[in-house]
Amino acid sequence: MTGAASTPAGTGIPLVSGASGQGGHFAEFCANPALFLSRAYRENGEICQFDLNGLRNILLVSAEAHEAVFRAPDELLSAAEAYQMMVPVFGEGVQYGAPPELERQQLKMQARGLRQDRMKLYAAVIAREVQDWLADWEDEGELDIYEAFTRLTLKTSTHCLMGEEFRYTLTEEFADLYHELEASVSPAALRDPDALGEVAARRDRARARLAQLIGERVAQRRASGAQHPDMLQVYMDARYEDGRALSEDEIAGMVIWFMFAGHHTSGNTSSWTAVELARHPGHAAAIAAEVDELYSRNTELSRNALKEIPRLQAFIMEVLRLHPPLVTLTRRALQDFHYRDYVIPAGSNVMASPYVAHRLPQTFPQPDRFDPTRPEPDNVFAFIPFGGGHRKCVGNAFAILQVKAIFCALLRDYAFELVDAPDSYRDYMPSLILRPSEPCRLRYRRRRST
Ligand code: HEM
């Protein structure tokens, strides 16, 4: 079917225009989910539906609707059913590949490793990585900031996760294997992760080899009896409520889950933060002054990154408003789900979209304007870069700490300028995570001699 919006019988929910006979809206969605969902909202408002290869998806866009979705119990709206494509990546028996009761306990283990009292440990690790990274910088130069932050956050993630010995023996092999896993998570995998042919076969080989590498590390640690201040140790020491420890394959799955959740989300947010700083020199100068003031009282980066840095934090929040790395937050309705007068049939996907929601003019006046001074919306479900409710991101404090640490170090010594035309830096979605378009070149200059 092609043409204007219509209302399929029985649901009362308008259908997004432009579906093709085969695949429905699949091709347009896969080409760029952010643009497709924006169009769907413009055309239909708070609720609409679209078809991904025969799977009904309902997009809900408003603070009230997000609250209804995020507060719904898993037995009604299931994240596990919606994200089954992650099961071969993290492994059977981990997160959405585990029974809900085990998954709940595993999530608590992840949260335990990310508790506020551990942030000091991670701040020191991240500070060391950032300082090592900056040691090679000249007084001025040009770099692809997306590539640079992708590499840096791979190092910080593996360092906090797997510890010092692993990080400093980090091989190309580990990065390549992790890359193979990432390549299997694309919009096309949403419908059927095994329809990926050779990509899926490479994913499975990479998952098996990663599990072997992580297993070797666990065995070495167990043999030495030493305790380490990292997430791997948290997983090794964790116990389920019945007293059982995580198996080696479960530990590998937890490591991969953490990497997936935290690596690109933080790297892409850092990249967009650098681009927006270069686009807005007035705000950048004010934040640099704020950072100078911090350093005038204390020179230690790891301590400064743990402090309130209000202007920098507000800037990062505005980056997350306009460029939220996760564009679609999805659940599968296991029973009919009622929202206002609508009945969303069991079996449908229900989607919230931070990208679309963060551009609502009634909540964010002049939504396309980058304005870090704009007030926070009254309703917490209006601003959802980290999701909401019982599945809200457990790594949000870690993520903010990391981006703050990076810019606290960078802005102390460097200022950024755009290399290309301001409008050429665009949101881009080659995978399910939003990032800046390629190339993403910035020029950096030392602010003062040290
Ligand atoms: C700017 C960076 C980040 C953003 C924007 C972000 C965003 C999100 C969002 C939106 C969700 C909820 C997904 C949903 O409701 O379907 C989520 C979940 C999660 N995030 Fe983050 N995240 C970030 C960084 C991190 C980091 C650094 C970690 C780990 C250290 C992490 C760990 C997790 C985990 C474990 C979950 C799963 C929660 C669950 O399954 O219930 N995230 N994240």
Side-chain angles (χ1 to χ4, degrees), residues 70 79 83 95-96 103 107 110 114 231 257-258 261-266 269 320 324-326 328-331 354 384-388 390-396 398-400 402-403:
F70 292 139
Y83 295 134
Q95 205 217 19
Y96 300 134
E103 189 253 340
L107 191 57
Q110 293 282 24
L114 293 166
M231 289 292 289
W257 175 13
F258 179 109
H263 171 219
H264 279 298
T265 45
S266 302
T269 302
L320 284 169
L326 300 189
T328 55
L329 310 180
T330 311
R331 307 286 182 266
I384 52 167
F386 294 108
H390 60 284
R391 292 212 166 264
K392 187 170 175 177
C393 176
V394 293
N396 64 11
F398 179 92
I400 298 296
Q402 166 143 283
V403 183

Side-chain angles (χ1 to χ4, degrees), residues 65-353:
H66 302 154
E67 182 168 1
V69 172
F70 292 139
R71 285 201 193 281
D74 286 344
E75 303 74 50
L76 177 54
L77 293 186
S78 163
E81 286 303 316
Y83 295 134
Q84 279 296 299
M85 68 176 168
M86 299 314 296
V87 173
V89 178
F90 301 157
E92 294 289 344
V94 176
Q95 205 217 19
Y96 300 134
E101 186 42 36
L102 285 194
E103 189 253 340
R104 183 185 64 74
Q105 296 179 46
Q106 292 170 353
L107 191 57
K108 270 170 78 177
M109 296 171 192
Q110 293 282 24
R112 198 170 310 137
L114 293 166
R115 268 195 330 230
Q116 200 55 37
D117 59 353
R118 294 182 62 88
M119 289 299 146
K120 248 174 138 167
L121 297 173
Y122 302 138
V125 169
I126 296 166
R128 181 169 162 198
E129 287 290 354
V130 178
Q131 279 157 340
D132 288 353
W133 180 61
L134 284 178
D136 296 339
W137 286 34
E138 310 281 341
D139 284 348
E140 60 178 272
E142 198 181 293
L143 80 176
D144 189 302
I145 204 78
Y146 170 76
E147 276 176 26
F149 283 131
T150 302
R151 275 200 300 272
L152 175 66
T153 48
L154 186 69
K155 290 177 184 165
T156 53
S157 297
T158 45
H159 201 155
C160 294
L161 244 184
M162 305 279 286
E164 196 167 83
E165 353 82 283
F166 191 88
R167 153 67 184 95
Y168 291 110
T169 52
L170 184 66
T171 56
E172 288 291 318
E173 186 190 9
F174 185 87
D176 289 348
L177 292 167
Y178 175 63
H179 211 76
E180 294 282 10
L181 290 185
E182 285 181 329
S184 71
V185 182
S186 62
L190 277 172
R191 191 71 187 95
D192 179 3
D194 287 316
L196 295 169
E198 182 49 29
V199 175
R202 286 208 301 272
R203 171 199 66 202
D204 294 344
R205 283 196 294 273
R207 169 70 179 70
R209 175 71 181 137
L210 274 175
Q212 190 185 2
L213 290 174
I214 297 164
E216 285 166 9
R217 186 65 41 178
V218 170
Q220 281 165 13
R221 278 201 185 180
R222 290 217 161 107
S224 80
Q227 287 279 318
H228 296 261
D230 53 36
M231 289 292 289
L232 186 61
Q233 194 69 48
V234 172
Y235 305 143
M236 287 172 60
D237 295 344
R239 295 289 177 273
Y240 287 109
E241 287 163 7
D242 65 4
R244 180 172 77 78
L246 291 170
S247 69
E248 277 189 10
D249 198 62
E250 284 171 331
I251 292 178
M254 297 287 277
V255 169
I256 297 167
W257 175 13
F258 179 109
M259 291 280 294
F260 258 73
H263 171 219
H264 279 298
T265 45
S266 302
N268 296 6
T269 302
S270 302
S271 307
W272 266 122
T273 301
V275 171
E276 294 294 8
L277 283 166
R279 267 180 182 161
H280 300 95
H283 289 299
I287 295 171
E290 189 182 41
V291 167
D292 288 347
E293 162 66 17
L294 266 183
Y295 278 104
S296 71
R297 281 180 271 128
N298 160 49
T299 52
E300 220 179 293
L301 171 59
S302 60
R303 271 179 59 197
N304 286 339
L306 288 163
K307 293 249 160 64
E308 285 287 306
I309 317 176
R311 283 206 173 100
L312 176 58
Q313 280 166 242
F315 197 92
I316 297 167
M317 289 303 148
E318 183 67 348
V319 166
L320 284 169
R321 181 181 73 80
L322 279 176
H323 313 289
L326 300 189
V327 163
T328 55
L329 310 180
T330 311
R331 307 286 182 266
R332 177 77 46 81
L334 299 184
Q335 305 161 32
D336 287 354
F337 176 64
H338 296 255
Y339 177 67
R340 297 194 197 277
D341 292 336
Y342 300 104
V343 180
I344 295 169
S348 315
N349 270 356
V350 177
M351 237 179 229
S353 171

